Amino acid sequence: MALINSNRTASKASTLDDNQGLGCIALQYIKAYEGQCNQVGESKKPPETSFAETFAPNCGVQAATLTKITGRLLACQSNYATPDPAFNFLVNDAKSIQVLHSKNHPEVGAAVSGTSGRGPYFWCVLFSSGKPTTSFKVDGGVPKSVRPGCFSGNNDDCMGANAAVSIGAGTWRLVAALLFSAACVFAL
């Protein structure tokens, strides 16, 4: 998360707060693609009603605390990727860089998942205009565990290709490494 925020502040954008409810919603967002990698980038998006009717209940997020999604980065590949290649297909054009640096979102949630624990692998980062203390609130303060996959703010373990990834720290290490790679690219 520190690298995400340092990358954003370098472009004069504010730091982002990690929201575990939004992270779980990002995992549900991935699941809406039903393993269909070819649908990513095709302007297919889950219906807006899915957030309140499906995603929030599956995560234990209180529907009344859902706020506007102000940006998304979504990618899918047949094989699991380490942070550098994953960053390259998440942030691969001017539009995705604009989403990453937008000043319209104060919070973020990220997720990664394979289909039934194997490929194809989806990566999703959702940004929101909500207030970190009042948006995407989860019942009891802990999101429901959702499998397969992992999301930011959860304390479970997740398997990626050949290595376990810790959901909380591991997912953010992945996201941070991706954004650090972006910072290096922008510095060139």
Side-chain angles (χ1 to χ4, degrees):
M1 194 63 191
L3 289 175
I4 291 173
N5 286 327
S6 67
N7 184 279
R8 286 180 50 85
T9 56
S11 68
K12 307 292 187 231
S14 62
T15 60
L16 299 176
D17 288 304
D18 174 9
N19 185 307
Q20 65 180 353
L22 185 55
C24 187
I25 296 287
L27 184 56
Q28 293 298 308
Y29 196 92
I30 288 170
K31 292 179 183 303
Y33 282 86
E34 299 175 335
Q36 300 300 311
C37 231
N38 62 343
Q39 297 294 312
V40 173
E42 296 287 323
S43 76
K44 175 188 174 178
K45 293 181 183 175
E48 288 298 316
T49 55
S50 297
F51 287 88
E53 295 174 2
T54 307
F55 301 168
N58 287 350
C59 289
V61 171
Q62 300 165 9
T65 66
L66 294 174
T67 58
K68 182 178 180 180
I69 301 297
T70 53
R72 74 176 184 140
L73 298 174
L74 182 67
C76 180
Q77 295 289 315
S78 57
N79 296 312
Y80 186 79
T82 59
D84 287 338
F87 176 80
N88 290 335
F89 46 81
L90 270 172
V91 181
N92 59 6
D93 58 18
K95 182 179 177 183
S96 57
I97 292 167
Q98 182 180 10
V99 169
L100 180 67
H101 292 141
S102 174
K103 297 179 181 181
N104 295 327
H105 30 256
E107 62 185 357
V108 63
V112 62
S113 180
T115 303
S116 299
R118 58 186 190 279
Y121 289 90
F122 290 80
W123 290 264
C124 181
V125 180
L126 294 179
F127 302 90
S128 170
S129 62
K131 295 181 180 173
T133 57
T134 60
S135 63
F136 299 96
K137 291 186 73 132
V138 293
D139 295 325
V142 179
K144 291 181 180 177
S145 183
V146 183
R147 294 281 182 234
C150 54
F151 57 92
S152 59
N154 199 3
N155 294 320
D156 236 345
D157 283 330
C158 171
M159 293 301 287
N162 298 319
V165 178
S166 170
I167 288 172
T171 299
W172 282 117
R173 278 193 292 270
L174 168 67
V175 172
L178 295 174
L179 293 172
F180 178 74
S181 298
C184 292
V185 169
F186 294 130
L188 298 175

